[in-house]
Every structure is written in C-alpha cells, then in structure tokens.
Amino acid sequence: MKEYTAPLRDMHFVLRELTPLEEVARLPGCEDATREVTEAILTEAGKFASGVLSPLNRVGDREGARWRDGEVTTAPGWRDAYRQFVEAGWNALSCDPEHGGQGLPRLVSALVDEMWNGANVAFALCPMLTRGAIEAIELRGSEALRRTYLPKLVSGEWTGTMVLTEPQAGSDLASVRTRAVPQGDGTYKLEGQKIFITYGEHDLAENIVHLVLARTPDAPEGVKGISLFVVPKFLPKEGGGLGARNDVRCVSIEHKLGIHGSPTAVLAFGDQGGAVGWLVGEEHRGLEYMFIMMNAARFAVGLEGIGISERAYQRALDYARERLQGTELGARSRERVAIVRHPDVRRMLMLMKSRTEAMRALACAVAAATDTARRHPDAARRQERQAFVDLMIPVVKGWATEMAVENASLGVQIHGGMGYVEETGAAQHLRDARITPIYEGTTGIQAADLIGRKIARDRGAAAAALIREVREVEGQLGRRDSALLAAIGARLHEGLAALERATEFVVGTYGPDVRRPSVGAVPFLDLLGTVAGGWQMARAALVAHQRLGEGAGEAGFYRAKLATARFYADHVLARAPGLALTVVEGAEGALAIEDDQL
Amino acid sequence: MKEYTAPLRDMHFVLRELTPLEEVARLPGCEDATREVTEAILTEAGKFASGVLSPLNRVGDREGARWRDGEVTTAPGWRDAYRQFVEAGWNALSCDPEHGGQGLPRLVSALVDEMWNGANVAFALCPMLTRGAIEAIELRGSEALRRTYLPKLVSGEWTGTMVLTEPQAGSDLASVRTRAVPQGDGTYKLEGQKIFITYGEHDLAENIVHLVLARTPDAPEGVKGISLFVVPKFLPKEGGGLGARNDVRCVSIEHKLGIHGSPTAVLAFGDQGGAVGWLVGEEHRGLEYMFIMMNAARFAVGLEGIGISERAYQRALDYARERLQGTELGARSRERVAIVRHPDVRRMLMLMKSRTEAMRALACAVAAATDTARRHPDAARRQERQAFVDLMIPVVKGWATEMAVENASLGVQIHGGMGYVEETGAAQHLRDARITPIYEGTTGIQAADLIGRKIARDRGAAAAALIREVREVEGQLGRRDSALLAAIGARLHEGLAALERATEFVVGTYGPDVRRPSVGAVPFLDLLGTVAGGWQMARAALVAHQRLGEGAGEAGFYRAKLATARFYADHVLARAPGLALTVVEGAEGALAIEDDQL
C-alpha cells in the first residue's frame, strides 16, 4: 500500500498564484516566510508525513490506544514518532518565537497541518490540541502560567487538552457542573467528571496540561458562570521538573468508530480531595476564552477534513489506476483497461479531487486573512479581514468536514467490494472522517453560529462583501474569450444569485421567527461553502487560462486545473439553486409535523 | 437500547391506500393475500423481527462470524434464531406452494423483508441468498435438481449462495476463470477460487447449495462462455439425507467494515480433484440465468437500504426524544428541552423519515408491478408492467442504498459525540449500510444498466410512460384547493421537467458518444429516484388531504403525511434541476482531464 504523498504541486500553486505568500510575508512578523523558506518547510514536512506518520496510520487504527489501570498506551511506534516530531521542531511551527516557536504564518502552517492530517489524523490531533492550550495561556494566562507552561507546550515536551464536555452537557456548556473551589493560595481544587477528552491520557509526553471549564462556588448559572483552569497531570516544580501527581484520573477510554489511535478519555477530577488548578484570566470569563481557542480549533478541524479527503483521493486513485476491469467504453478494443478509464470512476475521482482542491484554496484564503487580521498595520484592514474570517470559520469547519465524509465514502465506493474489506484501508478514512462534522461543534452548531452571529447580526454585511468579491471574479470570467470560463461563469452567476436569495431570507426572518431560518441553517452553510469553493476554483481557472495563454510551462497542470474547475462548476456548484430553495421554502414541513408523529 | 419496531402504520397505509393490496390479490395465485391474512402476517413478522432478530444485531456485530480450519461459527444465538426462523415458516413466505412455499405476493413479502433488514441485516442476507438460489433452480433447473433441492431450500433446512466473483473479476464477469469439466455422467468437476461469497460457509444449516458461474472447456471467451452450476457443500444422497463432503473449502472470511454477523467467504473449489456440480439449464447461458436471479437480488438489496434507514431513524428519534440539551429556540423559557425540538435535529430526522417513506412507497409500487408482470392474465398489461419493473430495479437498488448510507450517517450525526461511540449502535448502521451500494452491482453498474438497457435502448419510452403517470399526479395536486399541495406540485413540476431534459440528453447522446451520458449516469439515477420518490410522496399527500377533508380518523397521521411530503419536496425533490444540469453539462471536465493529471 502506498503511503501518503503531500500534494506539493497544488500547495505551491495556491501559495504562488492563488493566495500569494508574498502578501502575507509583507506583514510585520512574517518577514521570514520567504518562498524559499516556505517551500523548504513544505518539502520537509511532506517527507516527515510520508516517512514517519503515514506508516503508523494503520497500526494506530488496528491496535488503537489501550487503557489499563488509568494508564493509556498508544499504538506501537507512536511514542517514537512523537519524539521525532518534537525533536524536529514541528510542534513549534506556528507558535510565538518568544516562547520558542518559529512564528510561521497560518497560511503556511495550515498546509503543514493538512499534511499531518492526511498522513495520520489520529496522531495530528495531539499537537492540534496542544496548540489550543498554548493559545489560551498565551492570550489570558498570568505571567507565572506563561513562564511555567508555554516553553514546555511549545516544544511539545508536554501536551495540552481542551476539557469541556460532561455527560449531561454536550454542546450545551451552560450545563457544566464541574466545581472549582478557591484555596486562598491562588490555587483552586476541581471536582467533576469530563468526557470525550481527546488525548486526555496517553504515554507520548511526560506531562499533560488540561484546560478545564468549571464553576466557582458563587458563580452565576448558565454560561456566564464558567471559568477556565489549567490543571496539569503532574504539578510542575518550582524551577522546573515534575512534582506530585495531580488528582485527575483517566477512568476509561471510548471504543470509537474511528481515530482509534487517538485516546478519547473519560477524566475524573478530584476523586481524592480535589485536583489542583490555576485560573486562566478572570473568573466567569472561561467561555469567552474557550471560544477564542475554539475558533482556531474549528479551523483546524476543517483542515482535518481536507487532509482526509486528499488521502482518501490518493488511495482511490492508486487503486483505480492499478485495477484492471472491463474494456474501454465506446471503443472496439477488447483489451482490459484500468478502471480509471471508466466514466463513472472518473466522475467519482473528479468529485473528490475538485472538492478537495476547492476546500484547500478556501482554507488558505481564510488562513491568509487570519494572518492579515492579526498583523496588518491598518486597523480598518484588520477589521475587514477579521469579519471575513469570522464569516468563514464555521463554513470551513462545517463544509469541509461534511465533504470529507462524502469524499471518504466515495473513496470506498471506487474500491468496490475491496473498499469494504478493512485491510484495503479505504474504510478507515470513512471511519476517521465521520468524527470531523461532530467534534468542536457539530455542523448544526456551526450553522447556527453562521446564520446567527455571522449573517443576521450584521444584517448580511459580511456576506454581501464576499458576494461583491466573487461577483468581481464572475465578471472577469465573462471577459475572457473562453467557452470553458463562460460555462464556469454561468454556474457562478447562478450560485451567487442563490446565495443572495438565501442570505436575504435569513436576514429577514431571523428576528421575527428564528425557527424558520434555523431549519435551513445547514443547507445555508452548505450553500455558502459551495459558492465560496466555486469562487476559489473560478480564480484558479482564471490563473490557469492566463498561464496557458502565456505559453508558460506545466501546461498539463494548468489544463487539469481548468478541467477540474469546470467539473466543480457542473457537479458541485450546480447544486446551489436547489440549496437556496431548501433554505427559503424548507421550514414548513419540519415545523408543521407534530412531535408524536415523528 | 430499544429494539427495532416494525413501522406497521406506514406499511398499512401503503397497502391500504397507496398501492392497494386488493388489486394484487385479484391476480391469479394471489387470492389468499386478503387484507386480514396480510395484516396478521405483518404483525407476526414484526414480532419476530423485534423479539428474535433485533436483539441479535449487536452481538452479530461485536462477535462477528469466526473462521477456524475451514469451519465458520456464527455469533452466539444466531443458530437458534435461524432454527426459529425456519420453523415458523418465514423462509418459505414468497416461494411457490408447489415446493412448500406460501406463495405470498412480492408486495407483501417486500414489507416483511424490510423488517428482517431493519432488525438485523446481516442475518437477513442468508434467506435472501437462499431465495436467489431457489429462483434459479425453479426457473431453469432440471426436474432432478428441482426435486432434490427445492423442498430443502424452500423450508430453509439448506441455504443458498450466489458464487460469481473471482479475485481478478469483480463486476466484470467476462473474466471468470473457474473451470467446469463434464464427467460424462451428467456431473461436472469444478476448479477455481471465488471471493466475496456471502454466507459461503456457516453453521446455521446442515447444507449449503452454491450456485456457481464457471466455464466449460470449449466455452467461448467472454460472458457468452459462462455456465451456471449447482455445487452443494454435501452431496445429497438418493432418497434424501446427506452424503459425502464436496470438494469446496472455505479458505478464509473477510474482515469487513460492517455486516460482521454475515460471513463473507473465500471459497476454493476443486483443491482435491474437483468439486462435483450439476449444470443448471443449458451450457453458456449462465449469465442470463444469473441476471434473472440478480434482478430479484438487486431489488432485495434496495429493501436492505430501506430497512437500515428505518432502523437508523428509529434509533436517532429515540435519542433525540430522550437527550435533553439547550432550550427551546426563540422561546423565553430557560427550561432544557429534548433535542428533537431543535430545528436542525428536526431537519435531519425529517430527511431520514421522508426519504425512507418515499423509498418504501416506491419499492412497494415496484413489488406490486412485479406481481402483475408475473401473473396478470393480459399479456399487454404484463409487458407494460415488466417495462416499469425493468426501469425501476436499478433505481430501487442504487437510489435506496445510496440514501441508506446518507440516512445512517445522519443517524450518527443526530447522536453527536455519542454517535461516534460504538456502544450507542448508531455507527453500526452506517457501517452496515456502506456495503449496500456496492454488492449485487455497484451504483455505477446500476446506473450504466439504467441509461443503457432501460433508457437508451427503448429511446426513453419506459421513462416517458412514467413521466406521463407522474404528470397526472401533478395535475391532481394543482386541482385541490391547497397551498401545501400546490407547493408540492411546483417542486414535482420542476422535477419532471428536469427528468425530461436529462432523459432527452441520454437518449440523444448514448449512441453518438456513450462516454458523455455515462459521466452523468449516477446523477441520472439519483434524479430518477428523487422524482419517483416525489411522485409517491405526492400521491400520499393527495390521499392524506382527501382523508382529512372527509374527517376520517387518525388526523395526526394524515397531517404528518402532508408535512412529510412537503418536506420531501423542499429538501429532496428541490435537488432535481441541479441534477439534470449535472447530467447534461457534467461530462466536459471529467473527460477533458488527462489521466496523469488526476
């Protein structure tokens, strides 16, 4: 079985021609991200992904992480891979140089993250969560917390977790019951049970730093009474080193559909008198801090969807090229051909390929906007870019992960019966992908955030700005003398009209009757992702058309980009008007039915 | 965890009001299928499904079937359940009374099959394959074969298999290599390896009757040289009883994504000199006979999709009713509500419910047409109904199974994080469902059959007849004074126009360039299924409107039917125009891309 190969050619295309790295590298603090440095990093990351992480993907799935007496052992080879990951400095890639990081722009680290996810998503979850913990402590932690934890977390010697969920409180954090009682010495004692804690216990690193949501004794009810605490597995000693074991225990780990390599822990805090914790920032503002981490985490889960899609595509393509079956359709020859020649197999491959490339380009546009929103000298520009990022985070998370499930499922289908046999590996991608539309907020949660905070609140202003930008591209498509670009333009035109109709509906109905647009919230998210992906593919097509006209090299690559953009327009973007109709008309049936008739 | 409950209310609705059993019961040989008898059978089958098969579904998944030294042991409890199944006469339900069957119309046995599949699809596969073997022997077997095998297969004392696939030949049966050499005494000796043989070895019954595709020594190449053989595991003795073990051995069973309870065997024929087999019908006509069985099997796999969808829906609905989370959207109350109240959860439930009901109604329409095509005294009527059946078999198979994967995936999503934990049971339905669009011909194979043999060959005549029939229903929707029916009518109108456009395209391009319509074959199948499902939901809405107007009882049920039909129109049928666009425009990108740029 072939290992994962980083899609460097398409990544370079995005960085050179679609979302130019040069613009990001002009931002203060990003000057080191030259093309040479970045391409060297991508090449090295690709080698690490293929050579170290990818070969451990199957063993992680097969052996899984094992729980025994509160200890969790990861699959054979994983400890060593994590050691190499840390030693090579990969953990620190996007972290602040002040704490030992390399300060790479998100635009670049997003592509590196995609590689880790494509090679081994269960492994990649560990550094992803560590980065969340780093961000929370960086942003709101006291000087002491920063000094004690950041260097260890940035280097990867210690790992981090996000500890939110409780059995009675899944997406509904208002119901969190874990208690944190101040001890008068600056510490708190925590008590409560938490579930679904990714890498909540493991043997990859010597210490685990839990970021825990809990309630102080006099806290108000609901989300406004939640605070955020640092609760390490081992208490750090003054001046370095590890002290006593804290009162947090892994009770069990879940038997899951996929990501078997990644332990999902049930954690008991304070069974023996209370787990020692330190407050992050101010009391009662925990949810606000958690949301800052969560935005980054949501984007990161979107990248998981892209990585898994790419991997599933590569595996299906390999199989389709090697598997001989049937003869060339419409040809006289009785010679058997590889199934890649069959139109329906091509359709499935192109569906996977075009959606993956669209998602990658869109994620990079959002990553570059994140860099700009964080670092641009001009406040107005920062604000405008932040509005775009805020609009697109739920879309990247929700759309790319839903598409990942579909892509991985197509990957199984392309394999036929072999796809259903576990040893082939195609089924693992489907099992792994299936968590991504669930954790860090289900697609329903993303869509509610999208239509409420991102569309209705500004009365569609951010969406209107995006629509204007895409319409610009549509105009350019029409001005080139190309039937192919015109066909893409026609689909984009219909897609934009659909998005406008749906946005107007959401803005108009959200206040008067929030239930009506809420039935169509996920179709709206799907529509926005579909059109935004079409925008990026249209931009890619314009670049490719230009390059081919100039007689630049790599004509095969640019012709393929045009074909892929055309395919996306006719097979994916073509769904937009139907989605808008569902948004606008679709509330009736769902709201009319009586509960007992479901 | 609740067990499967047969959806008797909706099944009765279909039989009483949508696809009237009375009409089928007028056919010669169907006279015994009165409403009373049928409803008693459905009630009893529902009890057996809930009480015996459903509780074994999880243990089958967890323990799976186990291989050891060529023997396969099914999961604990399965042998006993099969014994009860046979003793209660369930195996013989739709078989010919001449061989001990009960001769029930397909319309009724289809609903019973849906129950077995909903309760335990891995179990249901065994009798499903036995029925295939029965049909082949009934249809083309010699008198001796019929006398020896049919009573045992009909009673279920022996089970059957379909043995087609070889490692180098999946969907491409032209490549079958297994050899069958005549011995001069009326028997043949078979030699070759077969894979993916469902229930190819097991401990449920004392004998297994393999129906095997193989080549005789002087057979022409390709599909025209394939013959069909009966190869029993144990050779039957003259006058009853079992004789010598035949030379067929189970080499291994597959480790699969789902349907773990059902052993998928690799079978070696003739390792010790040749497996004894008997020819079915004439030499070289094996594929033709196999296709007869396969049509029935394809329809039966469609029923698997419906059964799994229903089961996944029931589990998700139970969870959504019990899981308290968040507050009522748009309401002042801070009281926590069950998630069934959340608009997006309702949307997902309604998507599962409306598609499942549409598929059930459509499958019943096809089952009733099968009965008519087989038994109606008027040849023209038989022929017309057969054309409808032929058109719809690939649609029921392809569409219902693709929808089953989506429905089961939604079932996981409704459970949130709990859906990803295997003990919840939601994930099993997704894993089980994923095989259904693959075996008995992938969706791609169904779609190729649809556009080639069922659309292009008669230049769209069968499709045109269907469109006329649906247009009739559209007209009725417009004539009732109801905004809801009018809204459904509008979607149906657009759906029909889309189907007409796409059909014209397929008819017009299939001859000149078969590759073009072939790229859009699966979207065409999706479109036809979507519109046909909309037709059935529109008919259901007309009935419900009528009953409510009459002030008949069960108003809640009929109002729910209207809401469900409306939901289907806006959320499922709304996709039709986009699908037609994909069919008509979508070939360019897929055919333009060069192989090495994929």
Side-chain angles (χ1 to χ4, degrees):
Chain A
M1 190 177 309
K2 285 200 187 139
E3 298 300 342
Y4 170 78
T5 309
L8 288 174
R9 183 63 194 88
D10 196 56
M11 290 180 167
H12 289 159
F13 172 74
V14 174
L15 289 184
R16 288 179 198 160
E17 309 192 86
L18 213 55
T19 305
L21 178 67
E22 281 76 4
E23 289 174 20
V24 168
R26 277 197 292 272
L27 294 168
C30 292
E31 298 84 354
D32 293 347
T34 61
R35 184 196 275 200
E36 290 66 35
V37 167
T38 298
E39 293 190 358
I41 288 172
L42 292 181
T43 301
E44 286 308 308
K47 284 184 196 160
F48 193 86
S50 305
V52 179
L53 299 185
S54 172
L56 295 174
N57 192 44
R58 286 306 303 287
V59 68
D61 185 56
R62 216 168 41 232
E63 306 285 326
R66 311 251 167 140
W67 181 95
R68 201 180 148 185
D69 292 339
E71 306 281 320
V72 172
T73 312
T74 52
W78 280 48
R79 269 177 69 99
D80 187 51
Y82 185 76
R83 186 187 50 74
Q84 291 182 57
F85 185 84
V86 166
E87 282 178 9
W90 291 120
N91 199 63
L93 210 60
S94 62
C95 303
D96 194 329
E98 198 189 323
H99 308 109
Q102 294 169 42
L104 227 60
R106 192 68 184 110
L107 174 58
V108 179
S109 69
L111 290 172
V112 174
D113 285 349
E114 187 202 311
M115 294 184 196
W116 307 151
N117 290 318
N120 191 333
V121 66
F123 181 95
L125 276 167
C126 187
M128 190 269 259
L129 284 155
T130 302
R131 212 157 49 223
I134 291 169
E135 276 170 36
I137 297 175
E138 252 178 359
L139 207 71
R140 295 289 183 256
S142 65
E143 184 48 39
L145 285 180
R146 296 158 66 94
R147 207 177 47 235
T148 309
Y149 291 95
L150 288 180
K152 296 288 194 182
L153 287 168
V154 168
S155 71
E157 284 166 275
W158 299 354
T159 70
T161 66
M162 285 171 68
V163 183
L164 287 71
T165 307
E166 299 180 5
Q168 80 294 347
S171 308
D172 176 19
L173 296 172
S175 311
V176 158
R177 285 187 201 145
T178 295
R179 284 167 52 87
V181 181
Q183 303 297 304
D185 61 351
T187 67
Y188 289 70
K189 286 220 164 166
L190 280 84
E191 218 182 297
Q193 197 183 68
K194 296 282 189 175
I195 60 169
F196 294 155
I197 311 308
T198 302
Y199 280 96
E201 179 58 41
H202 62 81
D203 61 353
L204 298 181
E206 60 177 25
N207 203 6
I208 302 173
V209 182
H210 303 293
L211 279 137
V212 185
L213 288 186
R215 258 175 219 294
T216 47
D218 53 354
E221 276 193 29
V223 292
K224 286 180 185 142
I226 295 173
S227 306
L228 182 64
F229 299 88
V230 165
V231 183
K233 177 177 168 185
F234 288 99
L235 301 177
K237 275 190 191 154
E238 283 290 334
L242 294 181
R245 182 72 162 81
N246 205 349
D247 185 8
V248 47
R249 197 166 47 87
C250 175
V251 177
S252 62
I253 60 174
E254 306 291 353
H255 173 48
K256 307 186 298 292
L257 176 61
I259 52 166
H260 295 160
S262 140
T264 304
V266 176
L267 293 183
F269 289 87
D271 271 2
Q272 277 138 24
V276 181
W278 286 266
L279 182 69
V280 178
E282 297 169 34
E283 276 192 11
H284 307 164
R285 295 183 63 182
L287 206 71
E288 178 191 330
Y289 307 155
M290 195 54 95
F291 260 102
I292 298 168
M293 286 165 64
M294 213 132 57
N295 259 343
R298 285 174 173 182
F299 180 76
V301 174
L303 298 177
E304 292 176 14
I306 302 169
I308 296 171
S309 293
E310 173 67 36
R311 180 71 180 272
Y313 172 70
Q314 290 183 12
R315 193 182 296 277
L317 178 59
D318 275 351
Y319 184 80
R321 282 188 168 143
E322 280 165 20
R323 172 75 172 171
L324 297 178
Q325 186 133 282
T327 56
E328 179 95 24
L329 198 62
R332 289 259 173 92
S333 163
R334 292 287 87 195
E335 202 184 329
R336 294 210 299 170
V337 296
I339 62 170
V340 71
R341 298 294 309 158
H342 298 328
D344 183 56
V345 173
R346 275 181 116 68
R347 176 191 66 85
M348 292 191 278
L349 287 168
M350 285 296 280
L351 205 45
M352 296 176 80
K353 176 181 166 70
S354 66
R355 292 194 296 214
T356 305
E357 290 180 13
M359 298 189 301
R360 178 179 298 127
L362 184 62
C364 283
V366 176
T370 305
D371 290 320
T372 308
R374 200 177 285 165
R375 300 172 185 268
H376 200 277
D378 176 25
R381 178 72 177 149
R382 286 201 302 274
Q383 197 183 348
E384 179 271 325
R385 286 290 78 189
Q386 189 61 48
F388 173 72
V389 171
D390 289 343
L391 176 68
M392 295 312 288
I393 289 275
V395 177
V396 170
K397 200 288 184 180
W399 184 63
T401 58
E402 294 283 348
M403 288 303 107
V405 175
E406 288 190 26
N407 285 334
S409 190
L410 279 172
V412 172
Q413 189 71 17
I414 290 169
H415 284 79
M418 289 307 296
Y420 203 64
V421 174
E422 285 285 3
E423 67 183 280
T424 312
Q428 187 194 339
H429 303 314
L430 175 58
R431 290 189 287 98
D432 286 353
R434 196 61 198 78
I435 189 60
T436 61
I438 294 176
Y439 61 16
E440 302 297 342
T442 61
T443 309
I445 298 277
Q446 306 301 324
D449 175 56
L450 176 64
I451 67 163
R453 291 194 199 87
K454 314 299 171 63
I455 298 288
R457 187 178 285 174
D458 74 0
R459 303 204 58 77
L466 173 65
I467 289 171
R468 276 195 302 277
E469 204 170 337
V470 184
R471 193 147 277 151
E472 183 72 25
V473 173
E474 187 208 325
Q476 292 176 42
L477 290 165
R479 286 193 294 275
R480 305 287 187 281
D481 182 26
S482 154
L484 190 144
L485 294 183
I488 296 172
R491 294 291 89 73
L492 197 57
H493 181 82
E494 293 153 10
L496 282 169
L499 182 57
E500 266 184 333
R501 273 198 305 283
T503 305
E504 268 170 37
F505 173 81
V506 169
V507 170
T509 54
Y510 196 89
D513 181 2
V514 63
R515 288 167 57 83
R516 282 182 67 208
S518 296
V519 173
V522 168
F524 182 84
L525 181 147
D526 189 358
L527 172 60
L528 183 46
T530 299
V531 173
W535 164 46
Q536 293 299 322
M537 290 310 282
R539 294 184 59 226
L542 282 166
V543 170
H545 180 78
Q546 173 89 12
R547 293 289 175 272
L548 286 169
E550 293 163 0
E554 300 189 276
F557 175 81
Y558 291 114
R559 281 197 304 268
K561 250 315 166 199
L562 283 173
T564 308
R566 173 77 202 264
F567 185 93
Y568 183 94
D570 295 331
H571 289 253
V572 186
L573 200 45
R575 298 165 59 250
L579 287 168
L581 202 147
T582 298
V583 172
V584 174
E585 298 285 335
E588 300 304 325
L591 297 180
I593 198 159
E594 293 147 64
D595 281 13
D596 64 352
Q597 291 293 341
L598 274 165
Chain B
M1 188 175 314
K2 286 199 187 140
E3 298 299 343
Y4 169 79
T5 309
L8 288 174
R9 182 64 194 87
D10 197 56
M11 289 180 167
H12 290 159
F13 172 74
V14 174
L15 288 184
R16 288 179 199 159
E17 309 192 86
L18 214 54
T19 304
L21 177 67
E22 281 77 3
E23 289 175 20
V24 168
R26 276 197 293 272
L27 293 169
C30 292
E31 297 84 355
D32 293 346
T34 62
R35 185 196 275 200
E36 290 66 35
V37 166
T38 299
E39 293 190 357
I41 288 172
L42 292 181
T43 301
E44 286 308 307
K47 284 184 195 160
F48 194 85
S50 305
V52 179
L53 299 185
S54 172
L56 294 174
N57 191 44
R58 286 304 303 286
V59 68
D61 185 56
R62 215 168 41 232
E63 306 285 327
R66 311 251 168 138
W67 181 94
R68 202 180 148 187
D69 292 340
E71 306 281 319
V72 171
T73 313
T74 53
W78 281 48
R79 270 177 69 98
D80 188 50
Y82 185 77
R83 186 188 51 73
Q84 291 182 57
F85 185 84
V86 166
E87 283 178 7
W90 291 120
N91 200 63
L93 210 59
S94 62
C95 301
D96 193 330
E98 197 189 325
H99 308 109
Q102 294 167 41
L104 227 62
R106 192 69 184 110
L107 175 58
V108 179
S109 69
L111 291 171
V112 173
D113 285 349
E114 187 202 312
M115 294 184 195
W116 307 151
N117 290 318
N120 191 334
V121 66
F123 181 93
L125 276 167
C126 187
M128 190 269 260
L129 284 155
T130 302
R131 213 156 47 223
I134 291 169
E135 277 170 37
I137 297 175
E138 252 178 359
L139 208 69
R140 296 288 183 255
S142 64
E143 184 48 38
L145 285 179
R146 294 158 67 96
R147 207 177 47 235
T148 310
Y149 291 96
L150 287 180
K152 296 289 192 181
L153 287 168
V154 167
S155 70
E157 283 166 275
W158 298 354
T159 70
T161 66
M162 285 171 68
V163 183
L164 288 70
T165 308
E166 299 180 6
Q168 80 294 347
S171 308
D172 176 19
L173 295 172
S175 310
V176 159
R177 285 188 203 144
T178 295
R179 284 166 53 87
V181 181
Q183 303 296 304
D185 61 352
T187 67
Y188 290 69
K189 286 218 163 165
L190 279 83
E191 217 182 299
Q193 198 183 64
K194 295 283 189 174
I195 60 169
F196 293 157
I197 311 307
T198 303
Y199 280 98
E201 180 57 42
H202 61 80
D203 60 353
L204 298 181
E206 60 177 24
N207 202 7
I208 303 173
V209 182
H210 303 294
L211 279 138
V212 185
L213 288 186
R215 258 176 221 293
T216 47
D218 53 354
E221 277 194 29
V223 292
K224 286 180 184 140
I226 296 173
S227 306
L228 182 65
F229 299 89
V230 165
V231 183
K233 177 177 167 185
F234 289 99
L235 302 178
K237 276 190 193 156
E238 283 291 333
L242 294 181
R245 183 74 161 79
N246 206 349
D247 184 9
V248 46
R249 199 166 46 87
C250 176
V251 178
S252 62
I253 60 174
E254 306 291 351
H255 173 48
K256 306 187 299 293
L257 175 61
I259 52 165
H260 294 160
S262 140
T264 304
V266 176
L267 293 183
F269 289 87
D271 272 3
Q272 278 140 21
V276 181
W278 286 266
L279 182 69
V280 178
E282 298 169 33
E283 275 192 13
H284 308 164
R285 295 184 63 182
L287 205 74
E288 177 192 330
Y289 307 155
M290 193 56 94
F291 260 102
I292 298 168
M293 284 165 66
M294 212 133 57
N295 259 344
R298 285 175 174 182
F299 180 76
V301 173
L303 297 177
E304 292 176 15
I306 302 169
I308 296 172
S309 293
E310 173 67 36
R311 181 71 180 272
Y313 171 70
Q314 290 183 12
R315 192 182 297 277
L317 178 59
D318 275 351
Y319 184 82
R321 281 185 168 145
E322 279 165 19
R323 173 74 174 171
L324 297 178
Q325 184 132 284
T327 56
E328 178 95 23
L329 197 62
R332 289 260 173 91
S333 163
R334 294 288 87 195
E335 202 184 329
R336 293 210 300 169
V337 295
I339 62 170
V340 71
R341 299 294 310 157
H342 298 328
D344 183 55
V345 173
R346 276 181 116 68
R347 177 190 65 85
M348 292 191 278
L349 287 168
M350 286 295 280
L351 205 44
M352 296 176 80
K353 176 181 166 71
S354 66
R355 292 194 296 212
T356 305
E357 291 181 12
M359 298 188 302
R360 178 179 297 128
L362 183 62
C364 284
V366 175
T370 305
D371 290 320
T372 309
R374 198 176 287 165
R375 299 170 186 268
H376 199 279
D378 176 25
R381 178 73 176 149
R382 287 201 303 273
Q383 197 183 349
E384 179 271 326
R385 287 289 79 189
Q386 189 61 47
F388 173 72
V389 171
D390 289 343
L391 177 69
M392 295 312 287
I393 289 275
V395 177
V396 169
K397 200 287 182 180
W399 183 63
T401 59
E402 293 284 346
M403 288 304 107
V405 175
E406 287 190 25
N407 285 334
S409 191
L410 279 172
V412 171
Q413 188 70 19
I414 289 169
H415 284 78
M418 289 306 296
Y420 204 64
V421 174
E422 286 285 2
E423 66 183 279
T424 312
Q428 187 195 338
H429 303 314
L430 175 58
R431 290 188 288 97
D432 286 352
R434 195 62 196 78
I435 189 58
T436 61
I438 295 176
Y439 61 15
E440 304 296 343
T442 62
T443 310
I445 298 278
Q446 306 301 325
D449 175 54
L450 176 64
I451 67 163
R453 291 194 198 87
K454 314 300 172 64
I455 298 288
R457 187 177 286 175
D458 74 359
R459 301 205 59 78
L466 173 65
I467 289 171
R468 277 194 302 277
E469 203 170 339
V470 184
R471 193 148 277 152
E472 183 73 23
V473 173
E474 188 208 323
Q476 292 176 41
L477 290 165
R479 287 193 292 274
R480 305 289 187 281
D481 182 26
S482 155
L484 189 144
L485 294 184
I488 296 172
R491 294 292 87 74
L492 197 57
H493 182 81
E494 293 154 8
L496 281 170
L499 182 57
E500 267 184 331
R501 272 198 304 283
T503 306
E504 269 170 36
F505 173 81
V506 169
V507 170
T509 54
Y510 196 88
D513 182 1
V514 62
R515 288 167 57 84
R516 283 182 67 207
S518 296
V519 172
V522 168
F524 181 85
L525 182 149
D526 189 358
L527 171 61
L528 183 46
T530 299
V531 173
W535 164 46
Q536 293 300 321
M537 291 309 283
R539 293 184 60 226
L542 281 166
V543 170
H545 180 78
Q546 173 90 11
R547 294 288 175 271
L548 287 168
E550 293 163 0
E554 301 190 276
F557 175 81
Y558 291 114
R559 281 198 304 269
K561 249 317 165 199
L562 283 172
T564 308
R566 173 77 202 263
F567 184 94
Y568 183 94
D570 295 331
H571 289 254
V572 186
L573 200 44
R575 298 164 59 250
L579 286 169
L581 202 147
T582 298
V583 172
V584 174
E585 298 285 335
E588 300 303 324
L591 297 180
I593 198 158
E594 293 147 67
D595 281 13
D596 64 352
Q597 292 293 340
L598 275 166

